[in-house]
Amino acid sequence: MTRQRLVVANWKMNGSLEANAAWAEGWMRLERPACEAAVCAPFVYLAQMKPLLAQAGLGLGAQNVSQHAAGAYTGEVSAQMLVDAGVEWVIIGHSERRTLFGETNAVVASKVKAALAAGLKPIVCVGETLQERESSQTLRVVEEQLGAVISEVGAKALASCAVAYEPVWAIGTGKSATPEIAQHVHAALRDAVARFDVETARQLRILYGGSVKPSNAAELFAQPDIDGGLIGGAALKSEDFHAICAA
Ligand code: PEP
């Protein structure tokens, strides 16, 4: 089956009213790529980006969500609030959230559950550290990370998600995984889902993330189980993000 390609920008904690508007203006000057694409912006810029991205043919995403529905959780943003803001996608379990903000597999799983309950589409991030890779723990780690989500929401719920394989050692380092390394993990993740539900596994879009650039996107996206990308640094320039989408 052919899965529609999906390319998602993760702006992280970057941007300003002026820079974001310039990004959208730059994007609009370029031809619309054939793939589905979305931009995950910081919370405070969601309202600004909603009409700009709609005009540009791009989806709107957030970078985090609370696992709680409402109440005394100072500084948190609920899934329903994201829906109110017109958000479609939400990145959950990015390695920066896991390592810098202590998000465990259980927390990530409960965030996915909350997002799905509100009708959002989670982009579930998994990935191993360099130390885990060097000690041959990669597949165990990523399958455990995804397994925690499957235990919480069931494999069929992944039909409303995308999974992003992002090796921690490749994020923001300029050192992407080779297409072969990435394909190996993507295929293993798809197999892991297939053990629960073959049809969901066939339809699931598994994105690669970690130092994707215009120069290496095509060879990564040519792999049979790589269905697109989650793009950090290179997504801050609309021309580079566009070149990756075109690839
Ligand atoms: C990311 O943060 O999701 C990411 C893939 O970053 P970069 O593209 O900068 O490696």
Side-chain angles (χ1 to χ4, degrees):
M1 79 158 286
T2 44
R3 295 175 288 271
Q4 200 200 357
R5 301 307 181 105
L6 171 65
V7 183
V8 179
N10 173 15
W11 280 359
K12 311 196 189 197
M13 199 173 71
N14 293 294
S16 65
L17 288 175
E18 201 182 332
N20 304 344
W23 191 102
E25 237 177 74
W27 173 274
M28 237 97 86
R29 279 198 291 270
L30 303 165
E31 200 179 317
R32 277 195 191 186
C35 67
E36 182 179 356
V39 173
C40 295
F43 290 136
V44 293
Y45 297 129
L46 292 173
Q48 177 200 14
M49 295 313 291
K50 175 72 186 159
L52 295 178
L53 295 178
Q55 207 187 335
L58 292 164
L60 179 68
Q63 301 169 16
N64 185 25
V65 65
S66 173
Q67 66 269 47
H68 304 291
Y73 300 102
T74 302
E76 291 291 280
V77 173
S78 74
Q80 190 54 50
M81 291 172 186
L82 293 181
V83 171
D84 281 351
V87 165
E88 177 183 8
W89 294 98
V90 59
I91 296 171
I92 298 179
H94 190 280
S95 76
E96 287 151 18
R97 301 287 327 163
R98 291 177 187 267
T99 56
L100 302 174
F101 302 97
E103 291 189 9
T104 61
N105 284 347
V107 167
V108 170
S110 60
K111 288 186 172 200
V112 172
K113 188 178 182 184
L116 286 170
L120 295 168
K121 297 179 190 165
I123 299 166
V124 181
C125 299
V126 300
E128 83 288 3
T129 63
L130 186 58
Q131 196 195 0
E132 287 161 346
R133 169 156 290 275
E134 285 174 344
S135 54
S136 306
Q137 298 296 306
T138 298
L139 296 187
R140 181 192 62 75
V141 168
V142 297
E143 286 177 19
E144 215 167 272
Q145 289 170 333
L146 190 58
V149 171
I150 292 173
S151 302
E152 182 74 34
V153 299
K156 277 197 193 307
L158 291 180
S160 309
C161 304
V163 168
Y165 167 56
E166 299 205 304
V168 178
W169 46 271
I171 297 178
T173 59
K175 193 171 160 245
S176 167
T178 63
E180 294 72 28
I181 285 179
Q183 166 59 25
H184 179 67
V185 179
H186 282 232
L189 287 167
R190 198 177 303 285
D191 282 350
V193 176
R195 290 199 284 276
F196 294 92
D197 190 279
V198 173
E199 196 43 41
T200 302
R202 279 215 311 220
Q203 289 175 18
L204 179 64
R205 289 184 288 184
I206 307 180
L207 316 182
Y208 169 77
S211 297
V212 178
K213 306 172 265 240
S215 58
N216 63 11
E219 57 178 13
L220 286 159
F221 298 165
Q223 299 300 312
D225 287 290
I226 301 183
D227 306 309
L230 180 54
I231 319 298
L236 294 176
K237 283 193 187 150
S238 53
E239 298 78 15
D240 287 354
F241 185 61
H242 184 271
I244 292 168
C245 290

